Amino acid sequence: MSRTRTTTSRTRTRCIISYIPLYSHDLTWLKALLESTLKSVIAGTARGKNAPSGCMPDTREELLKDITLWANDPTAACVLWLCGLAGTGKSTVSRSIADRLAKAGKVVISFFISRRHRDQRSGLHTIIHTLASELARFHEAARMVILQALESHSQIHDLNLDQQVNLLLLEPLKAMSAGSNGVATVLILDALDECDNPAALVGDGCLAKLIAALSDRASLGNVKLFLTSRPLATIGAALRPFLYRLGQEVRLHEIPTTDDIRTYLDRSLSDIRQLREPPSDWPSAADLNSLVIRAGSLFIYAATVIRHIKEDEYAPHERLAEILSVQTTSSEDGSPYEELDKLYLDVLSPPIGPKQPKSLTDRVRQIIAVVVLARAPMSTRMISDLLEIDHGTVRRIVSGLSVIWVTPVSESDPIVLYHKSFPDFILDIRRCTDQRFMVDRSVGHERLATGCLQVLNTLLVRDICKIPFLAGQELPRRDSINDIETRLAHHVPPALHYSAVHVLHHLAQIAVPDMSQALVNNLQVFCQEKLMFWLELTCLMG
């Protein structure tokens, strides 16, 4: 790094700090500084538009009460790990707790980790930076400490994790505790299993340092850490040494949920009855009981059933009868997902169906593969460009699967899966027993890699952003181009941006037998004709 660049960055930070008294209530400048210097991502917090919703009123009341009491008790364990099977409602509980504590005047910093936003919300650095950004948003003392850290370390994101945790989390928390009067500060990390490397995050990463520091209540005050994840062995092995001394574990899938699921289904079906006017005696008590039994401990089964029944083109009572007509059986391995798997197969059947041509079946499976395997959220336009399928066809297929993902309003809106249990199902040959639907990872990555290469070979050109510089000169550095983000947005369409960033990942996931001739041909063209243009673009994207 050049001396000039370092000096400029520190000067800019110092100038901003000098205006703190004047603009202490205007956080626009702070957000901009934190996002540019820390590379933080506000979308990962509980305020993001893709954050999970809370529990339905009158459900999970005992659990929510117990967690709230834990958060408020300054003598209680400083760490609570809520683990549970996929679909048991961990994120819903997490959001409800965040809302309750915030309404009670607590400082709540909540971060929802998502593998669906791999570039933005699943890395260790991003978690630290976003928590720091939120601490600064909530508390002026923390804000001052963080800004001072930025002034002293202009490239703070290049420091090691221990240093970042200390400068951006522990020191600000200590500053907050000085004037907190015992008011609890609760840090919520939801879906640890979605992190790039959850064992590293917990075992010897930033969480290990944070948890160890929480035991020093004399300096940090009443700071609590609420964690949720699936009951993965790697996370459990890393967390339990800390929990033995400093925390406690709650296993969500072992807590009875029958009454709560019954309440959810009964109210949701009543809402449908008022809107759609099915027979007056619908649903029967026997139908409701059958749904409750099939759901088991999985709230995601109940939520998916309701979305399936609410589809406008079907009569609610006929749809429910179709769902209940599928015979219930006990799987040999006692899988808790057996009924959910049958429900997903039923959801997929209408868009594909036994009489549909194989070409349509293949397109549906390809689109599903792109959505579940992509490294970033996909829009219908991006899918159309990558798979070379007519955009209208993509829109119709995506709209027909509105039970498993949020149907985008425009062609640029991302397709958001309702729950990660669907990728678990569709990628597992043991669970997705209908081969028309099952997505093979290697084959799916091969199709994505081929699509990325086709986009790169078609759209990449020299000086794609049309940056003015004298003939014979080297392309200017990214940090010297003031309007680089505007130029990238104007000249680099989303499919090209995605392809440039992620093509290597998809190539690395392909088994050799699955490499098609189309992939090989496109890779040869890329290496011979487009490689230098790709390097130029990736340097400009940073």
Side-chain angles (χ1 to χ4, degrees), residues 296-313:
S297 63
L298 302 181
F299 267 90
I300 188 57
Y301 177 91
T304 305
V305 160
I306 295 302
R307 286 196 299 272
H308 201 21
I309 294 172
K310 287 171 74 172
E311 285 186 297
D312 290 340
E313 60 265 38

Side-chain angles (χ1 to χ4, degrees), residues 433-502:
T433 54
D434 192 324
Q435 294 305 300
R436 293 177 301 158
F437 309 140
M438 201 286 254
V439 172
D440 181 281
R441 289 179 184 270
S442 176
V443 174
H445 282 294
E446 191 278 339
R447 190 65 191 87
L448 266 167
T450 301
C452 287
L453 287 169
Q454 288 172 336
V455 169
L456 292 170
N457 290 340
T458 301
L459 299 181
L460 275 179
V461 294
R462 185 176 186 273
D463 188 21
I464 192 170
C465 289
K466 298 183 173 20
I467 298 168
F469 59 99
L470 298 177
Q473 287 186 338
E474 294 183 355
L475 189 71
R477 292 168 57 97
R478 171 187 163 87
D479 56 10
S480 68
I481 307 170
N482 294 330
D483 61 345
I484 184 60
E485 295 300 336
T486 301
R487 290 179 177 273
L488 286 169
H490 181 72
H491 295 289
V492 182
L496 177 57
H497 186 282
Y498 179 90
S499 299
V501 174
H502 298 298

Side-chain angles (χ1 to χ4, degrees), residues 187-229:
L187 308 180
I188 300 177
L189 289 182
D190 184 26
L192 287 180
D193 50 286
E194 289 287 287
C195 181
D196 287 341
N197 190 345
L201 172 67
V202 178
D204 54 6
C206 62
L207 267 190
K209 184 174 179 63
L210 180 58
I211 292 173
L214 292 181
S215 61
D216 183 11
R217 287 179 168 160
S219 60
L220 284 185
N222 186 19
V223 178
K224 300 292 181 65
L225 182 62
F226 180 55
L227 309 172
T228 78
S229 78

Side-chain angles (χ1 to χ4, degrees), residues 226-299:
F226 180 55
L227 309 172
T228 78
S229 78
R230 301 188 193 190
L232 300 184
T234 52
I235 295 179
L239 265 180
R240 288 191 177 101
F242 297 105
L243 298 178
Y244 180 75
R245 297 179 292 109
L246 303 169
Q248 63 186 86
E249 174 183 348
V250 176
R251 299 179 182 179
L252 189 57
H253 50 282
E254 296 180 0
I255 298 175
T257 58
T258 300
D259 291 342
D260 290 332
I261 288 178
R262 182 183 299 278
T263 298
Y264 174 85
L265 286 168
D266 188 29
R267 290 184 182 176
S268 299
L269 291 171
S270 295
D271 291 342
I272 294 174
R273 185 169 60 243
Q274 293 178 8
L275 293 172
R276 304 286 297 280
E277 299 182 356
S280 58
D281 59 347
W282 181 88
S284 68
D287 289 346
L288 181 60
N289 286 335
S290 181
L291 287 178
V292 171
I293 292 170
R294 290 169 187 244
S297 63
L298 302 181
F299 267 90

